[in-house]
Amino acid sequence: MENLHVETPIEADAPENGTLAAASVDQPRGTGRESRAVPEDAIIIVPSRNVVLFPGVVIPLTIGRPGSIAAAQEALRLERPIGVLLQKQPDIDVPGPDHLHWVGSVGNILRYVTSEDGVHHMVCQGTKRFRVLQFLDGYPFLVARVAMIETPEDASNEIEARTLGLKARAAEMLQLLPQVPGELIAAVQSVPTANQLCDMITSFADL
């Protein structure tokens, strides 16, 4: 499957006004706070104000809150993925477990850069969906034990027919959008399963 690349940076949690594949990473700045080790069966969480990360999709994220920066840098240090959870209310600056949806996606950090003006940017690739089982205390960022959500692959004739129809409608929609690269339309047509197709289309559709 070809991954969808979104070129415009998305402010995942900028203040209001897997296996890690670090292709290019600037050295993160220290947080000045030490925390106990993150358990192997837990994942470091980065809350998102307005972005949903889907499996198989690559998106750029801008992070600005201290907790999110600390979380991303610790994940880089440990060479572990992050979990991206959407906030229920985007205007909350310090979200806790009750402020988040408990289903999200695991994301490998492909690139992490701190710009000259101090803004932190990362490029993440979604891998699997997960459901939070329990948030853990004692960290300067959110950490949760999670269960991966396995997606069944239904290859019935009806699903295959609906997949072909969805590919056709997606191609028509993309042709109506300005400055859509031809590679994106080709990527949609090459997606092998209905699940992957739905994730890809939802990620770029303005819903």
Side-chain angles (χ1 to χ4, degrees):
M1 170 185 173
E2 296 185 29
N3 292 315
L4 170 65
H5 291 265
V6 181
E7 299 297 335
T8 303
I10 302 172
E11 295 189 356
D13 77 343
E16 285 292 319
N17 3 20
T19 301
L20 181 66
S24 176
V25 179
D26 282 359
Q27 184 66 32
R29 301 172 183 174
T31 62
R33 291 186 292 179
E34 298 296 330
S35 63
R36 59 195 178 95
V38 176
E40 290 298 323
D41 62 344
I43 191 169
I44 296 170
I45 300 296
V46 174
S48 168
R49 292 185 190 273
N50 55 12
V51 179
V52 177
L53 177 65
F54 288 91
V57 176
V58 177
I59 61 174
L61 300 173
T62 297
I63 55 176
R65 293 179 284 196
S68 295
I69 294 171
Q73 292 183 354
E74 182 69 2
L76 285 168
R77 188 184 71 82
L78 298 175
E79 297 189 349
R80 290 172 63 171
I82 59 172
V84 180
L85 291 178
L86 182 67
Q87 291 183 207
K88 297 177 181 178
Q89 296 175 292
D91 58 339
I92 296 177
D93 287 329
V94 186
D98 293 339
H99 304 132
L100 301 172
H101 295 282
W102 282 33
V103 173
S105 290
V106 176
N108 289 333
I109 303 177
L110 305 180
R111 182 179 175 88
Y112 187 100
V113 176
T114 303
S115 60
E116 293 181 357
D117 57 1
V119 179
H120 298 252
H121 306 274
M122 59 181 177
V123 178
C124 293
Q125 180 179 31
T127 57
K128 285 187 174 182
R129 284 183 176 83
F130 67 86
R131 184 184 305 278
V132 172
L133 301 178
Q134 176 189 20
F135 280 92
L136 306 181
D137 296 326
Y139 300 91
F141 41 75
L142 293 171
V143 176
R145 284 194 170 90
V146 303
M148 297 301 159
I149 300 175
E150 300 299 329
T151 304
E153 298 292 348
D154 189 337
S156 67
N157 291 335
E158 180 182 359
I159 293 296
E160 290 182 0
R162 290 179 179 272
T163 300
L164 292 174
L166 183 57
K167 286 183 178 181
R169 300 291 82 76
E172 293 175 1
M173 179 180 68
L174 287 171
Q175 291 170 355
L176 297 175
L177 299 177
Q179 300 179 339
V180 173
E183 293 82 1
L184 180 55
I185 298 177
V188 169
Q189 297 303 314
S190 66
V191 173
T193 70
N195 295 320
Q196 294 172 334
L197 180 64
C198 291
D199 287 338
M200 176 178 283
I201 292 174
T202 307
S203 70
F204 65 70
D206 184 4
L207 301 177

